Amino acid sequence: MEAPHAKLETKKKLYQHIANQGIVSKIDLLASFTITTSTMNRLLEDLLADGLIQESGRGSSTGGRKPILFEINPHYGYIIGLEISRFYSSLGLFDMQLNAKSLVRWRMDEDMTPGRFVAHVAQQIRALLKDHDLTQDRIISIGIGAVGPLDRARNMILKPLHFRAQGWSDVPICQLIEEACGIPAILDNGANTALIGEHWALRQEQPQHMLYVHAGVSLRSAMMSQGRIIHGSVDMEGSIGQMIIQKDGPRLQDTGNYGALEAFVSVLALEKQAQTRDNLRGANYDSLLRELSRNNPVVQGLFLEAAGNLGIGLANLINSFHPETIILGGVLISSHESFYSTAIETAIANTYYYPEYTPVFSKGALKEDAVAAGAALMAREHFTF
């Protein structure tokens, strides 16, 4: 007889498998698990009785009775996905099938300290619960995708750069969210959760090796191999920004490498470069975007030069990792179509095995919702029952 703990683990794996596949038959499940038909029947009966899964009609017949199809119950509970970023943060309410019920976004200004941020999150969750006529106990978990570096073991945001508000160093964010909302929380960096979300959106295509690069206030990246996020020995999602692309070149601030990618490709780098132009002194990123939309040739040149440098950085990553799919996100990527196309063209021109090896580039299916959606998916994958 299977031990209770082993049975529970198999039950969890079965639930997650059904969740990832969407709709499956018992025949499909038996092909994926090395368990007997009788054991599979008992596990499915348990999941049905607990309300975790439900029947979803019948599949095609191969000569006998049409097989019963199963899917997870979308209304068993709900999950919150939370993005913590420098320009904007967002929060989404999702059902168990990862259907978005509501998404809200807000600007991270000078007043958005950790304390005010947590209070705002709690207020937004209460509003969403009221809008959807839900009680707090219906929320399974909160997944958080945050700017790094992080200490994931202690669920803390460590010393991120470039937040407009003060106080974002050494923040026990999960503890604060749990205390304010009464809901358990789990943390990973936002680049990772964005890649988790985009991988989920592409699940029918089953990409196994993916790269995600976010170009905004800073540069952030995440990698996936064999369908799993690659976690290093330390969490430094912004390390891509320290890739040296020009020996003895400039550096962005008083820290970091000389000639690092972030000194050429970031919101702060563009603002700094604009200060050297007489007609752009005092410009910030918002004003640069306005000038870009007006086809200001000087501003266009700044953005296209940054895009080309991003392409060099992408080529370095591509030649090291050889991903199948590359997702690009962030405010620079969405600034203008020419930024995106120039970055890709430069990357491809410097890809060593091209055209025999040609990765697929994309802005992603989820775009600005990727971090929150991926955080919700991460929370579901850690769901225990």
Side-chain angles (χ1 to χ4, degrees):
M1 181 179 292
E2 190 175 22
H5 176 73
K7 179 182 177 182
L8 182 59
E9 286 301 310
T10 305
K11 187 176 173 181
K12 290 177 184 176
K13 290 178 181 178
L14 180 60
Y15 176 82
Q16 289 295 344
H17 183 82
I18 296 171
N20 292 333
Q21 294 300 311
I23 299 176
V24 294
S25 69
K26 184 169 65 177
I27 294 172
D28 297 329
L29 295 172
L30 286 168
S32 301
F33 288 80
T34 55
I35 57 178
T36 64
T37 302
S38 59
T39 299
M40 178 64 73
N41 288 337
R42 287 195 297 271
L43 291 172
L44 290 173
E45 288 170 3
D46 287 348
L47 290 170
L48 285 165
D50 293 340
L52 287 158
I53 66 171
Q54 61 187 23
E55 294 185 4
S56 182
R58 291 184 176 270
S60 300
S61 172
T62 56
R65 295 177 59 187
K66 292 182 178 181
I68 298 172
L69 301 177
F70 300 95
E71 64 180 351
I72 64 169
N73 179 2
H75 308 300
Y76 178 83
Y78 295 84
I79 307 167
I80 300 288
L82 174 62
E83 173 187 9
I84 304 177
S85 195
R86 298 178 178 97
F87 257 5
Y88 292 93
S89 288
S90 62
L91 183 148
L93 174 68
F94 300 83
D95 66 22
M96 297 302 284
Q97 289 185 355
L98 271 296
N99 298 306
K101 313 306 289 184
S102 289
L103 284 159
V104 292
R105 185 177 303 275
W106 61 93
R107 189 150 183 142
M108 296 289 283
D109 58 23
E110 294 82 356
D111 296 325
M112 196 58 73
T113 61
R116 291 184 178 179
F117 177 87
V118 170
H120 185 74
V121 168
Q123 179 184 13
Q124 291 296 324
I125 290 176
R126 288 193 295 269
L128 289 180
L129 292 177
K130 183 177 180 181
D131 289 345
H132 293 275
D133 195 25
L134 298 172
T135 54
Q136 182 180 301
D137 63 313
R138 300 282 287 138
I139 307 299
I140 301 294
S141 181
I142 300 175
I144 305 173
V147 169
L150 310 175
D151 184 333
R152 292 188 303 117
R154 295 191 296 153
N155 289 316
M156 291 186 68
I157 298 174
L158 296 179
K159 292 177 171 58
L161 300 174
H162 314 313
F163 268 96
R164 293 174 179 175
Q166 299 296 311
W168 280 97
S169 292
D170 301 319
V171 179
I173 190 64
C174 285
Q175 177 186 335
L176 295 177
I177 291 291
E178 289 173 3
E179 290 173 351
C181 304
I183 303 168
I186 184 171
L187 175 69
D188 204 339
N189 73 57
N192 283 348
T193 66
L195 184 50
I196 289 169
E198 293 292 358
H199 181 254
W200 165 258
L202 294 172
R203 61 193 179 279
Q204 299 302 323
E205 300 170 28
Q206 299 182 331
Q208 295 297 300
H209 307 285
M210 296 180 67
L211 170 67
Y212 173 84
V213 175
H214 176 104
V217 176
S218 65
L219 291 167
R220 300 149 65 188
S221 66
M223 291 183 179
M224 176 178 285
S225 183
Q226 301 297 338
R228 296 289 179 182
I229 290 291
I230 298 172
H231 287 108
S233 58
V234 293
D235 184 273
M236 296 294 288
E237 64 168 0
S239 294
I240 179 182
Q242 296 307 311
M243 177 194 301
I244 297 172
I245 64 167
Q246 180 181 315
K247 184 177 180 294
D248 299 324
R251 63 177 177 174
L252 187 60
Q253 294 183 316
D254 294 335
T255 59
N257 290 328
Y258 288 95
L261 189 61
E262 69 172 6
F264 302 91
V265 189
S266 64
V267 167
L268 296 178
L270 281 169
E271 290 178 340
K272 190 173 181 179
Q273 292 159 16
Q275 303 305 317
T276 66
R277 312 298 174 98
D278 290 337
N279 57 341
L280 293 175
R281 292 188 187 279
N284 59 22
Y285 186 68
D286 289 335
S287 63
L288 289 175
L289 281 181
R290 286 195 296 272
E291 291 301 311
L292 182 64
S293 68
R294 295 168 184 161
N295 298 319
N296 181 315
V298 175
V299 175
Q300 284 180 324
L302 289 175
F303 274 80
L304 290 179
E305 185 177 0
N309 284 314
L310 176 60
I312 295 297
L314 290 173
N316 290 335
L317 291 172
I318 291 166
N319 290 331
S320 299
F321 180 55
H322 299 108
E324 301 163 76
T325 304
I326 300 161
I327 307 291
L328 302 180
V331 294
L332 288 180
I333 300 300
S334 60
S335 63
H336 196 278
E337 188 60 32
S338 63
F339 189 101
Y340 176 70
S341 60
T342 299
I344 292 174
E345 289 165 6
T346 306
I348 290 174
N350 291 278
T351 296
Y352 184 64
Y353 288 111
Y354 182 83
E356 288 80 7
Y357 157 66
T358 306
V360 175
F361 289 87
S362 170
K363 291 183 183 179
L366 302 177
K367 297 182 172 60
E368 69 267 16
D369 298 329
V371 175
L377 179 58
M378 173 184 68
R380 192 189 71 181
E381 289 178 346
H382 285 80
F383 165 53
T384 58
F385 46 82

